[in-house]
Amino acid sequence: MGTKKNYKHLPHKTIERLSQYRRALLICLDNNKSHIFSHEIAKIQHITPVQVRRDLMLIGYSGTLRKGYNIQDLIDLIGTIIDNEEGLNATIIGIGNLGRALIKYLSGKRHKLEIVAGFDTNPDKINNEFSGIQCYSVEQLEKIIKDKDIKIGIITVPEDQTVETAQRLVDAGIKGILNYTPKPVEVPEYVYLEEYDMITTLEKIAFYVKMAEDQEK
Amino acid sequence: MGTKKNYKHLPHKTIERLSQYRRALLICLDNNKSHIFSHEIAKIQHITPVQVRRDLMLIGYSGTLRKGYNIQDLIDLIGTIIDNEEGLNATIIGIGNLGRALIKYLSGKRHKLEIVAGFDTNPDKINNEFSGIQCYSVEQLEKIIKDKDIKIGIITVPEDQTVETAQRLVDAGIKGILNYTPKPVEVPEYVYLEEYDMITTLEKIAFYVKMAEDQEK
DNA sequence: TTTGCACTGTTATTATTTTAACAGTATAGA
DNA sequence: TCTATACTGTTAAAATAATAACAGTGCAAA
Ligand SMILES: NC(=O)c1ccc[n+]([C@@H]2O[C@H](COP(=O)([O-])OP(=O)(O)OC[C@H]3O[C@@H](n4cnc5c(N)ncnc54)[C@H](O)[C@@H]3O)[C@@H](O)[C@H]2O)c1
Ligand SMILES: NC(=O)c1ccc[n+]([C@@H]2O[C@H](COP(=O)([O-])OP(=O)(O)OC[C@H]3O[C@@H](n4cnc5c(N)ncnc54)[C@H](O)[C@@H]3O)[C@@H](O)[C@H]2O)c1
């Protein structure tokens, strides 16, 4: 057993929750709190206190009895686990409605995970800034990904441009892709891919709303 | 054992995948295909053929040996499971960048799950249409939710308006909420809640990209 | 007309994730 | 100083989800 934990074996769901815990903790910190109980975190995240404690156990963090967890320490520890020490650069391809919403939301939020460029094909967008992020022509995609050492690409182009865009990102050496278009993409196994489609979430909600209604009858 | 399946006990993950299968199938239908194999569906969704077959088994659908599954039939069956027969109306609160992206994406896509109204506080938005959807003043929220029988609310207001918005939706009788703001909300147990924050997804990607890099060394 | 193949459908097994149970302990108050 | 309380940390059990194993079957080619 070395001193360095192997966070490699943390459950996927724990990784997701750690990110969520940190966001909640940052808000608590703003409210001038120094400590927080597992049941308080749990309430915010709609989960059980046990699950919170178990996650924290897995990352080897200990709180103080009757005081709870030190918020700043926990934020820092979560940072050492999920952040890349040197930081990780990301880019958004397609500066339309969705792309702009995401840029605006992310810009300046995370210093270890920064949007450092946007790309578009529309001349009206190219060479303009959006929420402080420069938009480049897609023609420069490969060059700028290399120059700025961009590792993560977020795809928000029109559906019919998705496959080509993903391929170019992969070829340019990107390591992670977040695809928000409804067109699923294929990537080599060494590229980490996540896809999100709101319709899945909405239809899931619709299903459970329907189930609840059927129950009533 | 009645004739009607009790889809109530379908795994949550299966529900999500059914929605995804249907989206993929609709695309295949456009391409003039009549049948599809489990391994074809699997490829699109980045899962295994076994998982596809298992999901279809759970909903009681049988394909044809050596021909695969009838696409139209499967689409219809998935519809009877996840759609509400009479349709389900939804609304988006906050017609900013994100709200507009979502409205545009959803409008006209699903006839059983329709966005029938938008709400905003900004006079420039109110009484205008966005992708064919009328935007109303939030002052009319309760009235229009009742009049139009809206069951699902999508929240895309500024963060500091989230809690109040959610409360009003609940009070107005909404049954499902999809919260896209970074502020977690609390709702009664009879309201089905989903929250999505891109930062979770991005930080998860960052984590696995980092892990992959550490591996290389 | 038989054999191999390429599929589906189902059961069995394993892995992952959540929940429960409970032991341990510092603090506050009697 | 003792005891109840309100927490944390850990192990055990249960629930959920994914994977594997394999039986069944009809077509196609020989
Ligand atoms: N996953 C979801 O929940 C979700 C929600 C809404 C929209 N979407 C999808 O996101 C995508 C963007 O939606 P939007 O509303 O922002 O659309 P949009 O039309 O407003 O934006 C698309 C942008 O991409 C640019 N573009 C076009 N081709 C390009 C290329 N080859 N390279 C780079 N940029 C290019 C366009 O100039 C435009 O600025 C669409 O595919 C849409 O279906 C997904
Ligand atoms: N979950 C995610 O991944 C994600 C991504 C991007 C943005 N966001 C969040 O989504 C929200 C919207 O982002 P945006 O970029 O569209 O912001 P925006 O400022 O462009 O839009 C917000 C809209 O809400 C309206 N509004 C303000 N108060 C309101 C109220 N009380 N009721 C109804 N409407 C009201 C505003 O007039 C505006 O039109 C923000 O909270 C943002 O943080 C989430």
Side-chain angles (χ1 to χ4, degrees):
Chain A
M1 313 275 159
T3 46
K4 182 97 183 243
K5 298 285 185 331
N6 64 343
Y7 297 126
K8 215 175 304 176
H9 300 115
L10 287 174
H12 281 54
K13 287 294 177 69
T14 295
I15 299 297
E16 289 181 12
R17 283 192 298 264
L18 288 176
S19 166
Q20 287 162 0
Y21 295 162
R22 178 162 69 173
R23 280 208 307 288
L25 292 170
L26 285 165
I27 293 171
C28 294
L29 207 59
D30 282 346
N31 301 346
N32 273 322
K33 283 184 67 167
S34 75
H35 286 74
I36 191 167
F37 295 123
S38 60
H39 64 260
E40 292 176 302
I41 300 178
K43 184 106 187 264
I44 300 171
Q45 308 291 338
H46 315 298
I47 56 176
T48 65
V50 190
Q51 198 160 52
V52 173
R53 294 206 298 277
R54 217 175 180 296
D55 285 335
L56 300 190
M57 185 194 86
L58 290 174
I59 64 174
Y61 184 70
S62 285
T64 311
L65 205 50
R66 293 191 145 251
K67 260 180 103 178
Y69 303 93
N70 181 291
I71 296 178
Q72 186 62 61
D73 287 355
L74 190 46
I75 289 172
D76 293 344
L77 177 59
I78 292 176
T80 69
I81 296 168
I82 64 180
D83 290 338
N84 191 304
E85 211 167 333
E86 310 90 43
L88 217 50
N89 294 330
T91 181
I92 299 186
I93 332 294
I95 311 299
N97 280 316
L98 186 57
R100 285 198 304 277
L102 299 179
I103 280 194
K104 183 178 160 194
Y105 177 48
L106 285 171
S107 65
K109 274 260 174 70
R110 291 280 174 281
H111 45 289
K112 295 287 187 183
L113 183 53
E114 214 177 333
I115 310 285
V116 296
F119 292 95
D120 209 295
T121 45
N122 185 335
D124 295 344
K125 306 265 170 74
I126 295 168
N127 292 326
N128 280 319
E129 280 195 1
F130 296 89
S131 305
I133 310 298
Q134 177 80 16
C135 177
Y136 300 91
S137 163
V138 274
E139 287 172 20
Q140 296 187 271
L141 189 86
E142 289 78 8
K143 177 178 175 352
I144 288 176
I145 285 179
K146 190 163 289 173
D147 287 357
K148 294 192 180 267
D149 189 32
I150 295 172
K151 292 282 171 58
I152 295 177
I154 303 166
I155 306 181
T156 54
V157 299
E159 185 172 354
D160 62 358
Q161 299 291 311
T162 305
V163 172
E164 192 201 322
T165 301
Q167 191 56 53
R168 287 184 69 176
L169 286 173
V170 169
D171 292 344
I174 226 95
K175 293 292 165 48
I177 288 181
L178 175 42
N179 176 24
Y180 277 111
T181 78
K183 173 83 189 157
V185 300
E186 280 177 63
V187 297
E189 47 76 32
Y190 59 82
V191 173
Y192 187 89
L193 172 72
E194 286 272 339
E195 307 196 307
Y196 176 82
D197 195 312
M198 171 201 218
I199 291 180
T200 302
T201 313
L202 259 189
E203 292 190 336
K204 188 179 172 191
I205 295 174
F207 174 80
Y208 287 107
V209 166
K210 173 185 167 185
M211 284 296 131
E213 282 183 343
D214 287 357
Q215 200 77 359
E216 278 172 20
K217 291 179 197 159
Chain B
M1 311 271 159
T3 47
K4 181 98 182 240
K5 298 284 183 335
N6 64 344
Y7 298 127
K8 214 176 304 176
H9 300 115
L10 288 173
H12 282 54
K13 287 293 176 72
T14 295
I15 299 297
E16 289 181 12
R17 283 192 298 264
L18 287 176
S19 165
Q20 288 162 1
Y21 296 161
R22 178 163 68 172
R23 280 209 308 286
L25 292 169
L26 285 165
I27 293 170
C28 294
L29 207 59
D30 283 346
N31 302 344
N32 272 323
K33 283 184 66 168
S34 75
H35 287 74
I36 191 168
F37 295 123
S38 61
H39 64 260
E40 292 177 302
I41 300 178
K43 183 109 186 262
I44 300 170
Q45 308 292 340
H46 316 299
I47 56 176
T48 65
V50 189
Q51 198 159 52
V52 173
R53 295 205 299 275
R54 216 174 181 294
D55 285 335
L56 299 190
M57 184 195 87
L58 290 175
I59 65 173
Y61 184 69
S62 284
T64 311
L65 206 49
R66 291 194 143 246
K67 259 180 103 179
Y69 303 93
N70 181 290
I71 296 178
Q72 186 62 60
D73 287 355
L74 191 43
I75 289 173
D76 293 344
L77 177 58
I78 293 177
T80 69
I81 297 168
I82 63 179
D83 290 338
N84 192 304
E85 212 167 332
E86 310 90 43
L88 217 51
N89 294 330
T91 181
I92 299 187
I93 331 295
I95 312 300
N97 280 314
L98 185 58
R100 286 197 303 275
L102 299 180
I103 279 194
K104 183 178 160 194
Y105 177 47
L106 285 172
S107 65
K109 275 260 174 69
R110 292 279 175 282
H111 46 288
K112 294 287 188 183
L113 183 52
E114 215 179 332
I115 309 286
V116 296
F119 292 95
D120 209 295
T121 46
N122 185 335
D124 294 345
K125 308 266 170 72
I126 296 167
N127 291 327
N128 280 317
E129 279 195 3
F130 296 88
S131 305
I133 310 298
Q134 176 80 15
C135 177
Y136 301 90
S137 162
V138 274
E139 285 171 22
Q140 296 187 270
L141 188 86
E142 289 77 9
K143 177 178 176 352
I144 289 176
I145 285 179
K146 189 163 291 173
D147 287 356
K148 293 190 181 269
D149 190 30
I150 294 172
K151 291 283 172 58
I152 295 177
I154 303 168
I155 306 180
T156 54
V157 298
E159 184 173 353
D160 61 359
Q161 300 289 311
T162 305
V163 172
E164 192 201 322
T165 301
Q167 189 57 53
R168 285 184 69 175
L169 287 173
V170 169
D171 292 344
I174 227 97
K175 293 291 165 48
I177 289 181
L178 174 43
N179 176 22
Y180 278 112
T181 78
K183 173 83 189 162
V185 300
E186 279 175 64
V187 297
E189 47 76 32
Y190 59 82
V191 173
Y192 187 89
L193 172 71
E194 286 272 338
E195 307 197 307
Y196 176 82
D197 195 313
M198 168 199 220
I199 290 180
T200 302
T201 313
L202 258 189
E203 291 189 337
K204 189 179 173 192
I205 296 174
F207 175 81
Y208 287 107
V209 166
K210 174 184 164 183
M211 284 295 131
E213 282 183 341
D214 286 357
Q215 202 76 359
E216 279 173 17
K217 290 180 199 158

